[in-house]
Amino acid sequence: WMAAEREPPPLGDGKSTDFEELEDGDDLFTSTVSTLESSPSSPEPASLPAEDISANSNGPKPTEVVLDDDREDLFAEATEEVSLDSPEREPILSSEPSPAVTPVTPTTLIAPRIESKSMSAPVIFDRSREEIEEEANGDIFDIEIGVSDPEKVGDGMNAYMAYRVTTKTSLSMFSKSEFSVKRRFSDFLGLHSKLASKYLHIGYIVPPAPEKSIVGMTKVKVGKEDSSSTEFVEKRRAALERYLQRTVKHPTLLQDPDLRQFLESSELPRAVNTQALSGAGILRMVNKAADAVNKMTIKMNESDAWFEEKQQQFENLDQQLRKLHASVEALVCHRKELSANTAAFAKSAAMLGNSEDHTALSRALSQLAEVEEKIDQLHQEQAFADFYMFSELLSDYIRLIAAVKGVFDHRMKCWQKWEDAQITLLKKREAEAKIMIANKPDKIQQAKNEIREWEAKVQQGERDFEQISKTIRKEVGRFEKERVKDFKTVIIKYLESLVQTQQQLIKYWEAFLPEAKAIA
Amino acid sequence: MEVHPEAGKEGKVEKPSCALVELQGDSSLQVEISDAVSERDKVKFTVQTKSCLPHFAQTEFSVVRQHEEFIWLHDAYVENEEYAGLIIPPAPPRPDFEASREKLQKLGEGDSSVTREEFAKMKQELEAEYLAIFKKTVAMHEVFLQRLAAHPTLRRDHNFFVFLEYGQDLSVRGKNRKELLGGFLRNIVKSADEALITGMSGLKEVDDFFEHERTFLLEYHTRIRDACLRADRVMRSHKCLADDYIPISAALSSLGTQEVNQLRTSFLKLAELFERLRKLEGRVASDEDLKLSDMLRYYMRDSQAAKDLLYRRLRALADYENANKALDKARTRNREVRPAESHQQLCCQRFERLSDSAKQELMDFKSRRVSSFRKNLIELAELELKHAKASTLILRNTLVALKGEP
């Protein structure tokens, strides 16, 4: 792997220095989040976004925020846990004054249905009022994201594509109900990296960002205005849209200030070192962590069969989805070939019609050529649907499942940490016992301090492990619900596209039949 | 892993409804291929004749013939001066199972990632393909004979009778070398013909009808050849698409059986849907093959046979012109005028005879072509409609089932 590997942020390394740096002069509520290590979600499943928002926006200056009872606990945790070291993390400074945080009350969440215009790729996430009201756990998300208008900025190898990100929402956590910003691909990667670093290791399934593509982007940069580069841009645009839609659907992530800033701020500092930040990079990191975990041969005493079962299920699902995806890719490819071959045949049928000296037959052959030309268009459109609906859904889920596997692995690491703490505590107690026997009073106090320290760590480790287990259960439940809905919606849309194609075929051939019969 | 459509197993071979040529045969001579057996590297056709013509010893009889014997018969007609003014029905192409055999073999060698079900389906598909090729080669050989039997002049040929009646094999297999040599010579002659027909030799065409036919056939033949090749590609793409549905259906099936939630039924229904779509897509492919590709291919060959007729006539015209020049020369020298005169007479008669019969033949060719295209295009459109409607139905049913679920 060529990408610069980022070490998974180690939990609990007391890098209080980072914490302090951030405290200086940051007046944005959307601080870089070092404090967000702690689990932002409240224990109640029916958590209202209200609490989460305020919690997340706790920067080093708690007084700026409207507090709630839960906040004390979070603070306690915040001081102990430290974040992630992310060497790329730059202070998000902007000349804008920090927007005030408005606590969200449930009443503002009920919103009218927002029409979404479908863009070039099919909009998968149409939300009807019924769907909004059906949100089982009572959360109502009324927010729609569109990614559109790709625009090339700059020239040569420094050029990049800028996309318009439009948000339509009635959630009052946003200052407006409709707004848009311009973002480039690395901004999306930057967003994902931040969210991943904050939430992945505590058990949240963070949707992965779309893949980088050197070949694709280079073509765009050097200005190849051919169909393959437009296709590439469209593919990316659609992928970015799906990525954001999935991210905002996540109740916890929706509250994240980095996400909000991404959607709202007109200026965003450039995310550097995006190689490491790419979705693929994060996944590689996750996978490496997984490998490392396996290599450590963690013999975790799985007291909870649910986790083992689920892991196996996801493993099977992953395999099957990959198989299906490969087959669908072949389908897309062959349908494109069919389209090209049909177009070629149409031309030769037209030529043949021109040569034919029997008038009626000549006309019929020309008509046949026209029919075949239209059919070629149909095949192209169908290939488009094959890809954007079926194939991309599968590849999205293959990458989502990698993220799911990642959180399971984080749980194992968490368990390991707890386990290690217990072992260390035991050692400290043994050491203390030895000191007692050897009767070295000056060392006893230190030993006792260390024991207290490690007792606290063991407790913390247990709490963390329970918390991550709980979070994962909830996340998996939510993920599965989403998955079912997603697949059903897309499958239905896909089948409808197939029906459309057949109906057009019927139309074309019905028009041709009398022409053939007219040959006398 | 070979498929041998055995005579014993199949009984009478079903032929694809061959609307390639509408034949006005009368019942005095009926020829058909009643049976065929495919062996390792050859196909044996059972040619059955029913005739009340006095020439034959019996009213109903059969012989077994192989491809080379058909070629011998075709070449015999081509080389016969008597038939120079006729379009000789194109020879049937050599039976070629190579590609299909290779594919079956590859399948046999196995790909462990394929499930047993998928394997069975793929095998089924390849066997069907093999069978289709087999049926087609039977049809091609049959239509060749039937055209001969329907033609008032060609049906009376002595070699034809021998072909139909002679019980032993015709010992023409050694002709392979001759065939190759013949092919080589034919190519040399052909380029000379091309010069004639493209007007590069300076020969003056006197008849408007033939002038038109010449330009028409030259262009038509090239374009129909193109159309045929491209139709083949379309048909193959459809086939590829149909084959793609096999692993898709299998994967959906696996997904369905693994799921514990509502997606289970969705996936299983989808798997079933794709299996049925596969069959329909396969039928679209084979219908396009028969009604479009095969038809174009046949008329490509038939138009070549028509071109050959034009070559022969032009050669006769060239001979006639040369004879005229020779006669003029003889007259100026006043030497050997008589033989020059009779030679010129012969050439003239031959040329006129050829022109007359060629005209009739070319008009027959046109009507044959038009009626065949008409029939096949109508059938093609009707079949496409049938398949599209069937697809729509199963798609709609699946949609209703999926939407109806909680």
Side-chain angles (χ1 to χ4, degrees):
Chain A
W1 295 109
M2 315 145 309
E5 293 294 283
R6 254 184 43 180
E7 282 302 301
L11 292 174
D13 283 350
K15 292 245 183 96
S16 24
T17 44
D18 282 357
F19 192 92
E20 275 149 22
E21 274 167 14
L22 288 164
E23 282 194 20
D24 288 344
D26 283 328
D27 59 354
L28 287 186
F29 78 105
T30 55
S31 73
T32 50
V33 157
S34 328
T35 51
L36 299 186
E37 178 81 351
S38 45
S39 163
S41 73
S42 48
E44 300 315 303
S47 64
L48 295 173
E51 295 165 18
D52 286 348
I53 289 181
S54 319
N56 289 358
S57 55
N58 278 341
K61 306 199 175 117
T63 48
E64 284 182 13
V65 181
V66 173
L67 293 181
D68 187 329
D69 328 340
D70 285 352
R71 220 94 330 96
E72 269 103 61
D73 282 348
L74 293 172
F75 266 116
E77 289 169 16
T79 46
E80 281 203 40
E81 296 291 6
V82 196
S83 87
L84 333 184
D85 8 85
S86 29
E88 302 81 9
R89 200 172 294 291
E90 298 173 321
I92 300 178
L93 291 169
S94 108
S95 46
E96 283 176 1
S98 46
V101 178
T102 15
V104 181
T105 54
T107 49
T108 58
L109 295 174
I110 298 164
R113 173 180 172 184
I114 288 183
E115 291 294 334
S116 75
K117 296 256 161 11
S118 67
M119 312 196 200
S120 340
V123 173
I124 306 172
F125 299 99
D126 275 42
R127 303 201 61 131
S128 66
R129 172 168 293 157
E130 302 88 72
E131 283 175 326
I132 295 177
E133 287 166 358
E134 258 172 45
E135 292 286 319
N137 59 5
D139 290 293
I140 299 171
F141 297 103
D142 185 22
I143 175 166
E144 291 218 35
I145 313 281
V147 175
S148 61
D149 307 317
E151 205 179 25
K152 185 169 164 196
V153 178
D155 270 316
M157 286 314 285
N158 290 324
Y160 64 90
M161 247 9 206
Y163 302 86
R164 176 168 300 283
V165 177
T166 309
T167 311
K168 288 186 190 152
T169 178
S170 61
L171 296 172
S172 56
M173 70 168 109
F174 294 101
S175 43
K176 291 184 251 179
S177 63
E178 187 169 335
F179 47 91
S180 72
V181 291
K182 281 277 197 180
R183 295 285 179 253
R184 54 186 293 186
F185 186 66
S186 55
D187 293 333
F188 288 80
L189 297 184
L191 171 67
H192 171 74
S193 145
K194 292 191 191 123
L195 295 176
S197 59
K198 285 190 242 183
Y199 298 99
L200 257 184
H201 68 273
I202 44 176
Y204 287 92
I205 301 170
V206 177
E211 304 273 317
K212 278 197 115 182
S213 165
I214 297 173
V215 175
M217 258 333 273
T218 313
K219 271 202 198 160
V220 173
K221 284 182 208 266
V222 301
K224 275 197 87 182
E225 285 286 326
D226 63 0
S227 62
S228 72
S229 58
T230 14
E231 241 182 78
F232 169 78
V233 171
E234 174 51 29
K235 179 179 171 186
R236 175 162 281 190
R237 183 209 63 76
L240 291 172
E241 188 172 87
R242 292 193 307 271
Y243 163 67
L244 283 181
Q245 284 280 125
R246 286 204 173 92
T247 307
V248 300
K249 262 188 179 177
H250 194 299
T252 309
L253 297 179
L254 180 57
Q255 310 304 323
D256 188 281
D258 280 322
L259 176 57
R260 253 179 301 154
Q261 184 190 44
F262 179 90
L263 294 175
E264 281 188 315
S265 297
S266 51
E267 294 280 320
L268 211 59
R270 264 210 61 196
V272 297
N273 199 2
T274 54
Q275 262 197 326
L277 299 181
S278 78
I282 294 278
L283 287 178
R284 256 179 262 129
M285 167 187 103
V286 162
N287 289 332
K288 256 195 120 194
D291 288 337
V293 161
N294 291 333
K295 278 171 195 147
M296 286 197 282
T297 56
I298 293 182
K299 292 273 165 70
M300 177 168 156
N301 297 330
E302 185 59 80
S303 52
D304 195 341
W306 184 92
F307 284 90
E308 236 175 82
E309 225 177 82
K310 282 298 168 187
Q311 272 186 282
Q312 190 55 54
Q313 258 175 43
F314 280 113
E315 190 55 53
N316 294 342
L317 187 60
D318 182 45
Q319 270 180 31
Q320 286 307 322
L321 285 180
R322 280 174 196 274
K323 249 180 116 181
L324 183 57
H325 182 244
S327 309
V328 174
E329 284 195 307
L331 180 73
V332 174
C333 178
H334 289 140
R335 214 188 289 274
K336 284 187 178 161
E337 262 174 42
L338 175 61
S339 162
N341 288 338
T342 306
F345 174 70
K347 290 203 180 81
S348 61
M351 299 276 276
L352 188 64
N354 282 344
S355 288
E356 176 57 63
D357 66 350
H358 185 276
T359 331
L361 179 55
S362 168
R363 189 173 49 237
L365 284 170
S366 304
Q367 297 288 59
L368 179 68
E370 269 184 46
V371 166
E372 294 286 347
E373 221 181 277
K374 290 191 193 139
I375 290 177
D376 145 47
Q377 260 309 107
L378 265 186
H379 287 315
Q380 257 185 50
E381 283 164 18
Q382 186 59 62
F384 193 73
D386 288 344
F387 180 73
Y388 281 104
M389 291 189 210
F390 207 177
S391 180
E392 287 283 75
L393 173 74
L394 295 171
S395 77
D396 281 353
Y397 269 89
I398 289 168
R399 288 176 313 122
L400 275 165
I401 286 174
V404 172
K405 288 201 226 174
V407 300
F408 276 100
D409 289 331
H410 276 297
R411 175 176 171 269
M412 281 179 76
K413 284 184 66 186
C414 188
W415 180 86
Q416 189 62 58
K417 193 175 154 209
W418 175 28
E419 191 61 12
D420 289 346
Q422 289 176 306
I423 291 170
T424 312
L425 177 61
L426 203 63
K427 287 197 188 132
K428 296 293 179 191
R429 289 206 168 120
E430 284 170 7
E432 189 209 25
K434 282 193 191 138
I435 291 174
M436 294 288 239
I437 292 169
N439 200 13
K440 292 190 182 149
D442 46 322
K443 293 241 169 89
I444 285 181
Q445 189 51 45
Q446 186 192 358
K448 286 210 190 293
N449 286 340
E450 283 181 4
I451 287 176
R452 245 203 317 279
E453 185 192 334
W454 282 96
E455 276 173 350
K457 285 192 177 161
V458 167
Q459 266 181 35
Q460 184 61 48
E462 184 174 6
R463 271 204 299 273
D464 285 346
F465 181 72
E466 272 166 23
Q467 186 60 52
I468 196 177
S469 300
K470 198 160 81 173
T471 305
I472 289 179
R473 274 179 183 270
K474 199 170 108 182
E475 281 288 284
V476 166
R478 193 190 58 85
F479 178 81
E480 285 292 86
K481 257 180 69 194
E482 277 303 313
R483 183 167 74 88
V484 170
K485 216 159 35 153
D486 235 348
F487 269 79
K488 280 191 108 172
T489 312
V490 173
I491 286 171
I492 286 174
K493 271 212 153 68
Y494 179 61
L495 292 189
E496 283 173 350
S497 81
L498 289 174
V499 172
Q500 254 287 78
T501 298
Q502 294 302 320
Q503 294 199 290
Q504 285 295 103
L505 278 174
I506 291 173
K507 221 172 82 176
Y508 297 149
W509 287 110
E510 275 180 347
F512 175 73
L513 194 52
E515 296 288 336
K517 290 187 170 159
I519 302 170
Chain B
M1 188 178 300
E2 307 229 353
V3 172
H4 301 290
E6 295 288 355
K9 288 186 198 157
E10 278 191 58
K12 184 148 168 43
V13 174
E14 297 162 40
K15 289 152 269 187
S17 69
C18 200
L20 290 175
V21 194
E22 303 262 290
L23 294 167
Q24 268 91 8
D26 55 52
S27 57
S28 64
L29 180 61
Q30 287 176 327
V31 182
E32 66 172 19
I33 295 184
S34 59
D35 209 351
V37 173
S38 157
E39 285 172 16
R40 179 155 285 275
D41 57 352
K42 54 185 174 242
V43 181
K44 291 196 169 134
F45 303 96
T46 303
V47 180
Q48 187 181 63
T49 312
K50 290 193 183 124
S51 173
C52 50
L53 288 177
H55 174 90
F56 296 112
Q58 300 163 280
T59 46
E60 209 172 302
F61 48 93
S62 299
V63 294
V64 177
R65 293 282 175 246
Q66 287 185 43
H67 174 74
E68 290 80 3
E69 292 164 298
F70 287 76
I71 299 301
W72 164 82
L73 181 61
H74 174 262
D75 289 349
Y77 276 106
V78 169
E79 288 157 14
N80 192 332
E81 167 58 32
E82 258 190 65
Y83 308 127
L86 305 175
I87 292 180
I88 312 293
R94 207 174 63 82
D96 183 12
F97 297 97
E98 247 345 284
S100 192
R101 225 174 255 146
E102 257 177 43
K103 281 196 227 170
L104 270 170
Q105 197 163 29
K106 243 201 227 161
L107 184 67
E109 277 155 24
D111 175 7
S112 57
S113 72
V114 162
T115 67
R116 205 180 313 160
E117 251 177 40
E118 280 176 80
F119 181 82
K121 285 188 194 155
M122 285 159 78
K123 179 158 179 274
Q124 202 183 62
E125 279 304 312
L126 284 178
E127 286 175 355
E129 204 179 288
Y130 193 94
L131 193 61
I133 295 176
F134 183 74
K135 285 184 182 171
K136 274 206 237 180
T137 192
V138 168
M140 291 289 122
H141 284 76
E142 189 179 71
V143 84
F144 169 67
L145 295 177
Q146 289 179 333
R147 262 185 76 179
L148 291 169
H151 195 288
T153 314
L154 296 173
R155 80 211 303 242
R156 286 189 258 128
D157 184 78
H158 174 74
N159 287 319
F160 190 41
F161 292 156
V162 168
F163 179 93
L164 292 174
E165 212 181 12
Y166 185 60
Q168 314 285 337
D169 82 47
L170 299 170
S171 303
V172 296
R173 241 148 297 136
K175 198 179 181 293
N176 269 337
R177 237 181 58 211
K178 187 177 175 194
E179 238 181 20
L180 290 168
L181 192 61
F184 176 64
L185 287 174
R186 231 174 281 141
N187 282 334
I188 294 183
V189 170
K190 203 158 185 207
S191 18
D193 284 341
E194 290 288 349
L196 273 179
I197 206 168
T198 52
M200 279 166 26
S201 66
L203 194 62
K204 273 250 165 8
E205 177 57 70
V206 296
D207 191 333
D208 276 344
F209 172 82
F210 285 103
E211 182 56 29
H212 166 82
E213 285 297 308
R214 186 178 68 85
T215 28
F216 161 70
L217 271 176
L218 272 177
E219 196 183 61
Y220 188 82
H221 176 77
T222 318
R223 290 186 179 186
I224 198 172
R225 190 182 52 209
D226 260 347
C228 174
L229 285 171
R230 292 180 183 189
D232 274 346
R233 284 200 207 120
V234 171
M235 186 273 292
R236 270 198 293 273
S237 284
H238 269 297
K239 189 91 208 335
C240 258
L241 217 60
D243 286 343
D244 283 339
Y245 286 144
I246 296 178
I248 290 180
S249 180
L252 284 166
S253 204
S254 303
L255 273 169
T257 41
Q258 279 172 30
E259 290 282 1
V260 294
N261 53 33
Q262 303 109 297
L263 284 180
R264 182 190 187 86
T265 29
S266 303
F267 282 139
L268 290 175
K269 287 214 167 80
L270 257 190
E272 201 188 301
L273 172 70
F274 275 104
E275 175 56 23
R276 295 166 77 183
L277 284 179
R278 170 179 86 89
K279 298 221 167 89
L280 278 173
E281 194 72 36
R283 266 174 234 145
V284 169
S286 74
D287 287 338
E288 284 186 355
D289 191 21
L290 287 173
K291 303 296 168 192
L292 204 51
S293 295
D294 277 355
M295 175 188 71
L296 292 170
R297 198 177 347 265
Y298 191 80
Y299 283 96
M300 172 182 78
R301 295 201 188 105
D302 216 12
S303 58
Q304 181 61 51
K307 271 168 79 178
D308 289 341
L309 171 60
L310 285 184
Y311 294 151
R312 291 195 289 273
R313 180 184 160 276
L314 284 175
R315 266 185 265 141
L317 180 58
D319 289 343
Y320 180 29
E321 277 202 0
N322 290 337
N324 273 336
K325 288 185 192 143
L327 180 58
D328 284 342
K329 220 167 159 190
R331 281 195 178 135
T332 29
R333 291 199 203 137
N334 207 0
R335 276 181 64 190
E336 292 187 17
V337 174
R338 270 289 163 72
E341 260 176 16
S342 55
H343 178 63
Q344 190 256 25
Q345 270 254 348
L346 272 170
C347 285
C348 176
Q349 277 168 359
R350 183 165 176 269
F351 172 67
E352 280 171 3
R353 178 174 63 90
L354 281 190
S355 292
D356 284 340
S357 79
K359 205 169 218 161
Q360 185 58 51
E361 288 283 302
L362 287 168
M363 293 196 305
D364 286 346
F365 170 65
K366 181 167 176 170
S367 60
R368 193 167 55 233
R369 178 176 85 240
V370 171
S371 78
S372 183
F373 268 70
R374 180 178 189 277
K375 184 153 192 263
N376 281 294
L377 287 177
I378 292 175
E379 284 177 7
L380 176 70
E382 285 173 347
L383 285 165
E384 294 271 4
L385 278 171
K386 180 173 155 205
H387 298 319
K389 288 180 178 160
S391 296
T392 307
L393 189 64
I394 57 179
L395 282 166
R396 284 226 169 101
N397 287 345
T398 310
L399 270 170
V400 163
L402 288 177
K403 283 180 178 168
E405 282 166 23

